[in-house]
Amino acid sequence: MSVPPGAEPTLWELHRAVSQLREDLRGDLAQLAARLDHVVTEDVYRADQRVVEQRIGQVEAGLASLRSEHEQVVERGAQQRREDQAQAAATRRLVISSFVSPLLVMTLQLWLASHGSAS
């Protein structure tokens, strides 16, 4: 609305400007009310945060438990592997000694037999 310099607005123009301001204000208040419908109180927010912290604590406790169980399983696996290696070494020694001992005894007997018959 353009008013020539020095001219004052009429009452009708003032009424129309105030009405327009009132409509703009109503629209802004409606938007504000719509946004406030999505706002929660501080008590509700804090209660929700406590629940979230409890859930996080439970998840952390579960992870700690799983980590402990995993470490125990790994340790048991390592212990079993060491026992299996010791058992395999003992078996190898037994097999080697069961074949080598008779060969040594037989070699000794042959040597004694060959030297004993020459005299």
Side-chain angles (χ1 to χ4, degrees), residues 55-77:
R55 287 182 183 169
I56 289 172
Q58 290 172 352
V59 168
E60 287 175 343
L63 284 175
S65 171
L66 287 174
R67 184 176 293 124
S68 172
E69 289 177 17
H70 174 70
E71 289 173 357
Q72 290 174 358
V73 167
V74 167
E75 182 58 35
R76 282 195 303 260

Side-chain angles (χ1 to χ4, degrees), residues 6-58:
E8 292 187 19
T10 64
L11 289 178
W12 178 251
E13 290 173 342
L14 287 175
H15 173 66
R16 197 170 44 177
V18 169
S19 294
Q20 182 63 41
L21 286 172
R22 193 179 293 160
E23 288 300 318
D24 289 345
L25 185 58
R26 282 185 186 150
D28 291 344
L29 288 175
Q31 288 177 351
L32 183 61
R35 289 180 63 195
L36 286 176
D37 286 342
H38 294 80
V39 174
V40 295
T41 64
E42 187 176 343
D43 294 335
V44 172
Y45 177 76
R46 285 186 181 164
D48 186 54
Q49 288 301 102
R50 281 193 299 271
V51 169
V52 168
E53 288 174 4
Q54 286 175 350
R55 287 182 183 169
I56 289 172
Q58 290 172 352

Side-chain angles (χ1 to χ4, degrees), residues 86-108:
Q87 181 66 31
T91 303
R92 279 193 300 272
R93 283 192 303 268
L94 179 65
V95 168
I96 290 172
S97 64
S98 67
F99 285 117
V100 170
S101 299
L103 288 175
L104 288 176
V105 169
M106 185 176 72
T107 306
L108 181 63

